[in-house]
Amino acid sequence: MKIGFVGLGIMGKPMAKNLIKQGYSLTVYDLNTEAVAEVVQAGAAQGDSPKAVANVSDVIITMLPNNAIVKSVLLGEDGVIHGAKAGTVVVDMSSISPVVAKEVAIALAEKGIAMLDAPVSGGEPKAIDGTLSIMAGGDEAAFQRVQPVLSCMGKDVILVGPSGSGSTAKLANQIIVNVNIAAMSEALVLAAKAGIDIEKLYQAIRGGLAGSTVLDAKVPMILERNFKAGGRVDINLKDLTNVMETADAYEMPLPLTAHVRHIFETLRDEGKQAHDHGGIVQYYEKLAGIEVGKTTN
């Protein structure tokens, strides 16, 4: 099975490398020539465009930043749709809106191309070690065909339902993750303001009900003042915007999500768009006039 991979960013590059490690033949494309060169050095071939990648692939995986880029790569003038043969499976692992996922799937289906929307959760560390959570939407036969490929990149690989279901599951995931980070940040800043040693607080609560993957991943980064992105502020802002647009379509208020989106907008406006979403703590620190991890009185 020959695989095409378009999108070699923070997540896509290690995901592509894991497929190469498992012996798959890869042809890759990205506008970032340095990323392409690195993956080619690991054993991939280089394609000149999404269409060229599709020409030589049985399965095409895309890992891209937003709705517009996904539509351009898959359906644009030099897109996958113009190079893929009938029977090809496209697996879009980007985080996009369910509406766009369904729209693209319908367009590809008219050419005999199956599509799964299969976004991921776990961030860069799990992309590197191949233990991502992958939530897929689409045809079950197409899913069964590519499941061995997805299992090279993820530990939990679940077909959630029909087209758009994977994207919807990712939106739900992003609500839980980002609201969790905001709640954690609020708590850490309160504790810091009260003069509590945050490292000791972390050790005290991590084994109880407040313990979580978010807590374990983000508290050490915050204490080190390390906001190098595993999940960027601007990408998570995009995800929560997709959440709110989907909620509006269902006429459903989401007050917690709306507030966290406002926090991301504030951080973006302060020039922190490339920070990790653990940088939410900086919003609360500014309100409280204190920095978590520093000596407090």
Side-chain angles (χ1 to χ4, degrees), residues 271-294:
K272 298 181 174 71
Q273 65 273 6
H275 284 203
D276 185 79
H277 52 167
I280 285 175
V281 73
Q282 296 169 101
Y283 172 87
Y284 290 99
E285 289 174 335
K286 186 174 182 180
L287 291 178
I290 199 164
E291 188 173 285
V292 170
K294 298 294 184 181

Side-chain angles (χ1 to χ4, degrees), residues 18 36 41 45 62 64 82-83 86 88 105 121 125 127 160 186 195-196 198 225 235 240 256 263 271 281 289 293:
N18 281 331
V36 171
Q41 180 68 28
T62 52
L64 301 162
H82 302 297
T88 299
S121 180
V160 180
E186 194 168 278
I196 292 177
I198 300 301
R225 310 308 295 173
I235 297 297
L240 294 194
L256 291 176
I263 293 173
V281 73

